[in-house]
Amino acid sequence: MRLIVLFLAYILSLAVMVAAYGATARDRPAPRPSAAMVPAPPEDQAFAQFVRDFRTTAMAAGITPETYAAAMGKLFRNQRVADLNLNQPEFAKPVWSYLDTAVSPQRIADGRALLIGDADILAKIEAKYGVPREILISIWGNESNYGRSMGGYNMFEALATLAYDGPRADYARPQLLAALKMMQREKYAAADMTSSWAGAFGQTQFVPTTFLNEAVDGDGDGKIDLWSSVADALASTANVLSNAGWKAGKPWGYEVLLPKDFAYEEADLDTPQPVAKWRKRGVRTMLGDALPPSDEPGSIYLPAGARGPAFLVFPNFKTILKYNNAASYALAVCELADQLKGAPAIASAWPRDEQPLTRDERLALQNSLAVLGYDIGKVDGLIGSKARAAMRAWQKKHDLPADGFATENLLTRIAMEAKAKGL
Ligand code: CA
């Protein structure tokens, strides 16, 4: 599971530190070219010291000196991983661009071929864990393009680089320890343990802590190999979803039509309501029919605000968030799964003319809302639940659809009002 999203807040909060780090690197004199006997740069020495110190932690956790030496003995700080760790994307990718890639015609065609090719494996996993085969194939496609992009970094090098310093150290340290336990328990060769730069590995991109707790031997050969055994990877993924509460035979959700007078402030992933209530509110299926009855509550999810498609999502949708905590990821998984089954694509148009706000714009939005007296928590450039609630309140006050979705138009209007108040 990739945990990148969870640490975005951390990266943003450390922007100042990043700037300072850059300045230090620039001020350092360039190494001399004929460096046969020159001592290692201070950065490398400090990293080597970290690797020595971490050995104590590993020994205390039951890692043998042999395992530690084999995994960590000849390790260098990976500069590319360090750079990626500090890189902060200026724009978040809009959800429709993300879906264009995640649910492309090629992804659908490849996934359908695998549904046929791996039908025996999939039938067994589905029967045991109750997770539909299309969901499993879809997670496989979303995580590694069906095993084509599993990441080619040395897992120990990547995790040790992240654990040494920077915004993901708190995440990477337990992962590094878990990677050592994995190696020792499963008798892997360190060189075979490849991962993404963030330490996720295998066909469905597990992280080491999840591997230790939830990976299973799907093909029954006595070993767990998430790199080369598709049965192991898909059974392990099914086990994660099952443990997260996936309910067999229940839908993830479906696209819906909202009435013109819909109270958009009620559309929130975190506030599920009985389906009977949404029926009363005039929410309908895409064919215009009444919503089918359900014994589960559902949330109205608007990935792109009031101008984009709307979905009624059930608890199974939320279990995918436990696999990867981004609603756009869960939507991509569910949409690809539906289209593997031949279900129609999302029918409503995306507001493709909208550009996601830049970090500066998000900061300006938060500042303006704060000036207008709204509680938006920390001004950190991240649009969280408080900022959304503030935008909804502002929208409601101005008789606008209260979807809490940040757009440039909304920013302009809120900033103008804040300016008039003396910002
Ligand atoms: Ca196996």
Side-chain angles (χ1 to χ4, degrees):
M1 278 182 279
R2 291 169 301 174
L3 291 162
I4 296 164
V5 176
L6 298 178
F7 297 96
L8 196 60
Y10 227 107
I11 309 171
L12 292 172
S13 69
L14 289 172
V16 177
M17 206 181 105
V18 175
Y21 176 89
T24 313
R26 273 197 303 279
D27 295 345
R28 195 187 300 153
R32 279 191 270 174
S34 57
M37 296 297 287
V38 204
E43 187 79 71
D44 292 352
Q45 283 175 15
F47 179 76
Q49 186 60 47
F50 165 76
V51 171
R52 280 194 295 277
D53 292 346
F54 199 78
R55 189 174 184 278
T56 312
T57 308
M59 297 296 115
I63 300 301
T64 65
E66 292 74 26
T67 300
Y68 200 79
M72 308 281 287
K74 289 171 190 156
L75 224 50
F76 292 97
R77 187 166 177 269
N78 185 308
Q79 191 55 49
R80 178 147 175 74
V81 171
D83 291 344
L84 285 165
N85 193 24
L86 296 179
N87 180 35
Q88 183 195 314
E90 177 61 18
F91 291 96
K93 206 173 180 182
V95 61
W96 50 89
S97 302
Y98 181 61
L99 286 167
D100 287 346
T101 312
V103 195
S104 68
Q106 190 64 52
R107 277 287 161 82
I108 297 168
D110 290 348
R112 284 183 182 160
L114 290 163
L115 277 173
I116 297 165
D118 292 329
D120 292 348
I121 296 173
L122 289 162
K124 278 183 200 149
I125 298 172
E126 200 178 62
K128 182 163 182 188
Y129 297 97
V131 181
R133 60 191 71 195
E134 293 84 4
I135 290 284
L136 298 173
I137 293 285
S138 176
I139 288 178
W140 187 15
N142 270 285
E143 290 293 343
S144 71
N145 194 13
Y146 310 113
R148 292 189 188 97
S149 318
M150 293 195 280
Y153 290 90
N154 173 301
M155 188 188 293
F156 294 104
E157 192 173 281
L159 285 172
T161 300
L162 299 177
Y164 163 63
D165 71 352
R168 290 180 180 81
D170 289 344
Y171 148 78
R173 283 174 192 181
Q175 296 302 338
L176 179 57
L177 190 60
L180 289 160
K181 288 181 182 172
M182 248 175 78
M183 177 177 162
Q184 188 161 292
R185 192 181 88 186
E186 304 294 327
K187 302 183 174 58
Y188 296 141
D192 294 340
M193 296 176 68
T194 53
S195 74
S196 73
W197 70 269
F201 68 97
Q203 303 280 341
T204 49
Q205 298 286 282
F206 269 51
V207 292
T209 49
T210 311
F211 176 93
L212 289 178
N213 296 325
E214 301 190 77
V216 294
D217 176 16
D219 57 18
D221 69 350
K223 299 176 294 193
I224 306 178
D225 182 348
L226 303 190
W227 290 278
S228 42
S229 168
V230 168
D232 287 6
L234 298 186
S236 299
T237 298
N239 192 37
V240 169
L241 291 184
S242 167
N243 291 343
W246 182 279
K247 289 190 198 126
K250 296 288 184 187
W252 65 266
Y254 49 88
E255 191 182 357
V256 291
L257 287 172
L258 302 181
K260 282 217 154 45
D261 60 349
F262 184 71
Y264 281 92
E265 61 272 23
E266 295 190 335
D268 195 313
L269 267 182
D270 294 330
T271 51
Q273 310 274 1
V275 168
K277 187 192 146 182
W278 296 125
R279 283 175 83 152
K280 263 189 220 152
R281 291 275 195 276
V283 179
R284 295 184 165 269
T285 71
M286 292 308 281
L287 296 171
D289 298 330
L291 300 177
S294 163
D295 54 4
E296 294 186 307
S299 307
I300 299 292
Y301 169 44
L302 304 170
R307 292 182 60 221
F311 299 87
L312 177 61
V313 301
F314 295 105
N316 277 348
F317 184 83
K318 294 230 172 158
T319 67
I320 297 171
L321 293 180
K322 286 180 191 160
Y323 198 87
N324 188 329
N325 191 25
S328 52
Y329 171 85
L331 183 63
V333 165
C334 294
E335 270 304 310
L336 178 57
D338 272 9
Q339 293 198 43
L340 291 174
K341 283 192 280 197
I346 296 169
S348 306
W350 294 102
R352 288 180 185 265
D353 55 324
E354 291 285 358
Q355 285 304 310
L357 300 191
T358 64
R359 179 173 149 73
D360 283 349
E361 287 173 331
R362 293 192 301 269
L363 287 167
L365 178 64
Q366 287 180 318
N367 276 317
S368 299
L369 286 166
V371 163
L372 295 175
Y374 293 98
D375 172 21
I376 51 104
K378 217 168 83 185
V379 176
D380 55 5
L382 290 172
I383 303 296
S385 55
K386 280 190 171 173
R388 269 196 298 278
M391 281 187 280
R392 286 181 198 269
W394 189 91
Q395 288 170 318
K396 224 171 144 55
K397 204 172 130 192
H398 293 76
D399 284 328
L400 293 166
D403 59 4
F405 188 70
T407 63
E408 293 194 327
N409 183 279
L410 186 67
L411 165 62
T412 306
R413 294 190 57 174
I414 293 176
M416 274 171 63
E417 196 179 302
K419 204 170 177 185
K421 284 215 172 181
L423 173 70

